[in-house]
């Protein structure tokens, strides 16, 4: 990597040469997604031990990078692009999005102000309006890209706090203020409670609401909790409803929750980080029923919409409240057009913002709305097919409804204690994961260890799901699985 005479970038001819090799490498990587074991086989510390302790003092040839990536980095990757990735929520990197990332890195605009990145700012607003239409959401929603759903939810709940009349937390902080309370179901994502920690609400200011037998928020219990808290002198201010919970993809009854929020004057935030993408398929749009009444909604194109991490979208009906919560403009960021063009730094914590809209724009154009919907439908079909195999196999029990593309289940180990059955379920997953052909994660439902198969990678086909089923069966039988 020869710097120019005055420093400068590396020589661009070397960039071209290596760039083409990198693209070829990525083509093979994506074209043979089963080349590497899905779950990395390295142990903690292995990557560190293989890396030099000190940085190079002088320039190294750029040609060394790719071989070192293959040797040192690739074995230490868990391959989220592997079609056997069924853990957590699968995600996908796709060719158009990778091109978007390449250009975004090359342009490297900081999209903090309209003037520092006019096209990035305006493309972001336009593409998020496209996405809004794709999800069947109402027109009067303002969308802004955040890095993760955790950040989107933090921003939404900060706005909810800002909207509490007379509180003025932005100005006065919370000391001496009434104790705030916010609510989400006991199946809600940890990012909701974490936002409460960051916002000074505290863990005690978060109340987890009981769920029904299908892991959806019990709205009666919500109303009762709010009444109890008011009677105790607390100040309820926000409810987060989840449409597609992380463990089971349960869909909270948003219309009924919206009624409670309207009656009680509470901010309604809908966490559709994973589930929201399903709304691109009209027959799955039930996932966002009631979300049109929310004050804010988060959905993650980087989860189930074939855009690589990081790209989360926060929609709100009340952008002026989000801006009131976050806008703080020092003299050096004043611009003449600030009253007529949005400065997206005003809608979140970070000043600096990457040009993320490009990859979303490329994905929507390259797949088309129908192309995205078809892939999502196929993932739902594959999950339902897997579920149907379990339902007719006495070795398995399904543990929750599967409204979308996730199946929660257990293997049966008749004649052993519940603890031992939990342990053997974990051991079954470990054995499957060790094959390198499939990767599943686990959760707890009703305190019992429960395995999850989450379909969501763009490269997953029916035979991969079939293989996961066979591997589970074989591993379970080896560990003594039996129906009775
Ligand atoms: C994955 C997930 C999140 C967190 O997403 P990040 O973008 O990783 O912060 C939040 N809520 C739900 C329902 C999720 O499934």
């Amino acid at each position: 990597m020869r710097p120019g005479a005055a420093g400068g970038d590396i020589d661009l001819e070397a960039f071209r040469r290596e760039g083409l090799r990198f693209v070829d490498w990525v083509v093979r990587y994506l074209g043979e997604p089963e080349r590497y074991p899905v779950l990395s086989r390295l142990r903690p510390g292995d990557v560190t031990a293989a890396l030099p302790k000190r940085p190079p003092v002088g320039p190294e040839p750029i040609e060394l990078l790719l071989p070192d990536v293959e040797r040192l980095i690739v074995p230490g990757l868990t391959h989220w692009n592997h079609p056997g990735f069924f853990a957590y929520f699968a995600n996908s990197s796709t060719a158009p999005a990778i091109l978007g990332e390449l250009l975004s890195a090359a342009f490297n605009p900081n999209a903090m102000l309209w003037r520092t990145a006019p096209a990035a700012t305006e493309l972001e607003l336009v593409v998020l309006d496209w996405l809004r239409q794709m999800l069947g959401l109402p027109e009067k929603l303002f969308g802004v890209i955040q890095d993760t759903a955790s950040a989107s939810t933090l921003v939404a709940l900060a706005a909810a706090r800002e909207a509490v009349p007379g509180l003025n937390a932005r100005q006065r902080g919370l000391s001496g203020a009434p104790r705030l309370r916010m609510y989400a179901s006991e199946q809600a994502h940890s990012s909701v409670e974490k936002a409460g920690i960051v916002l000074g609400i505290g863990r005690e200011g978060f109340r987890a609401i009981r769920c029904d037998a299908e892991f959806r928020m019990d709205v009666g219990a919500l109303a009762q909790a709010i009444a109890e808290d008011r009677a105790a002198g607390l100040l309820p201010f926000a409810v987060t409803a989840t449409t597609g919970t992380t463990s089971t993809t349960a869909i909270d009854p948003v219309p009924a929750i919206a009624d409670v929020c309207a009656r009680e004057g509470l901010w309604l935030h809908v966490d559709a980080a994973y589930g929201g993408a399903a709304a691109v398929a009209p027959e799955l749009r039930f996932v966002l029923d009631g979300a049109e009444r929310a004050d804010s909604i988060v959905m993650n194109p980087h989860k189930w919409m074939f855009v690589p991490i990081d790209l989360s979208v926060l929609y709100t009906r009340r952008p002026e409240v989000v801006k009131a919560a976050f806008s703080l403009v020092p003299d050096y960021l004043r611009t003449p057009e600030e009253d007529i063009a949005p400065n997206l730094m005003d809608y979140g914590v970070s000043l600096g913002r990457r040009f993320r809209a490009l990859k979303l724009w490329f994905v929507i154009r390259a797949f088309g709305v129908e192309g995205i919907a078809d892939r999502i439908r196929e993932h739902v079909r594959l999950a339902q097919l897997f579920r149907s195999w379990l339902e007719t196999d006495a070795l398995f029990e399904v543990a929750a409804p599967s409204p979308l593309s996730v199946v929660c289940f257990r293997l049966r180990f008749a004649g052993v204690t519940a603890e031992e059955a939990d342990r053997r379920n974990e051991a079954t997953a470990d054995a499957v994961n060790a094959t390198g052909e499939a990767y599943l994660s686990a959760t707890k439902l009703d305190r019992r260890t429960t395995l999850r198969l989450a379909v969501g990678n763009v490269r997953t086909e029916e035979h991969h799901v079939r293989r996961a089923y066979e591997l589970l069966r074989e591993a379970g039988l080896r560990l003594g699985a039996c129906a009775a």
Side-chain angles (χ1 to χ4, degrees), residues 89 148-151 189 191 242 244-246 271 273-274 300 302-303 312:
F89 286 118
T148 59
S150 304
H189 191 267
S191 54
T242 312
T245 58
T246 311
D271 180 355
Y274 151 78
N300 276 4
H302 80 214
K303 245 179 191 158
S312 173

Side-chain angles (χ1 to χ4, degrees), residues 141-312:
L141 283 180
F142 174 86
V144 60
I145 296 177
Q146 309 282 345
D147 54 3
T148 59
S150 304
S152 294
T153 291
L154 174 66
V155 169
L157 293 173
R161 192 183 64 169
E162 187 62 25
V164 177
L167 185 69
N168 205 1
R170 172 191 164 106
Q171 201 56 32
R172 293 203 296 254
L174 285 179
S175 95
R179 311 258 333 248
L180 295 170
R181 270 282 223 202
M182 60 182 198
Y183 309 84
S185 92
E186 58 194 7
Q187 291 287 324
H189 191 267
S190 55
S191 54
V192 179
E193 187 169 356
K194 195 178 267 191
I197 296 171
V198 176
L199 292 169
I201 314 296
R203 295 190 70 184
E204 288 178 8
F206 171 75
R207 185 158 173 181
I209 303 299
R210 176 175 81 227
C211 287
D212 65 14
E214 302 197 336
F215 306 102
R216 300 170 299 199
M217 186 193 287
D218 177 334
V219 185
L222 171 68
Q224 194 188 337
I226 294 168
E228 281 168 15
D229 287 349
R230 287 207 197 279
L234 302 173
L235 184 54
F237 77 106
V239 179
T240 300
T242 312
T243 60
T245 58
T246 311
S247 278
T248 73
T249 74
I251 298 167
D252 283 344
V254 179
I257 296 170
D259 288 342
V260 172
C261 289
R263 196 167 65 230
E264 299 283 344
L266 310 184
W267 184 284
L268 173 58
H269 176 56
V270 170
D271 180 355
Y274 151 78
V280 179
E283 73 278 18
L284 298 171
R285 205 158 269 176
F286 61 81
V287 74
L288 289 180
D289 279 353
E292 71 284 352
R293 295 170 65 193
D295 296 282
S296 54
I297 305 165
V298 55
M299 80 74 79
N300 276 4
H302 80 214
K303 245 179 191 158
W304 196 13
M305 251 189 67
F306 320 122
V307 178
I309 199 165
D310 48 354
L311 203 160
S312 173

Side-chain angles (χ1 to χ4, degrees), residues 13 47 60 63 68 106 108 122 154 156 181 212 257 266 324 382 411 457 472:
E13 274 315 310
V47 176
E60 292 185 344
E63 290 77 13
D68 278 356
N108 194 33
E122 295 192 19
L154 174 66
R181 270 282 223 202
D212 65 14
I257 296 170
L266 310 184
L382 294 177
L411 287 99
N457 185 277
L472 281 161

Side-chain angles (χ1 to χ4, degrees), residues 64 68 80-81 102 107-108 110 118 133 150 154 232 252 265 278 283 316 333 363 381 393 411 439 452 457 465:
L64 290 184
D68 278 356
W80 288 70
N81 288 307
L102 178 69
F107 295 142
N108 194 33
N110 185 332
Q133 296 170 45
S150 304
L154 174 66
D252 283 344
E283 73 278 18
T316 180
L333 292 174
V363 167
R381 186 188 76 82
D393 184 335
L411 287 99
Y439 176 30
R452 289 166 77 261
N457 185 277
V465 178

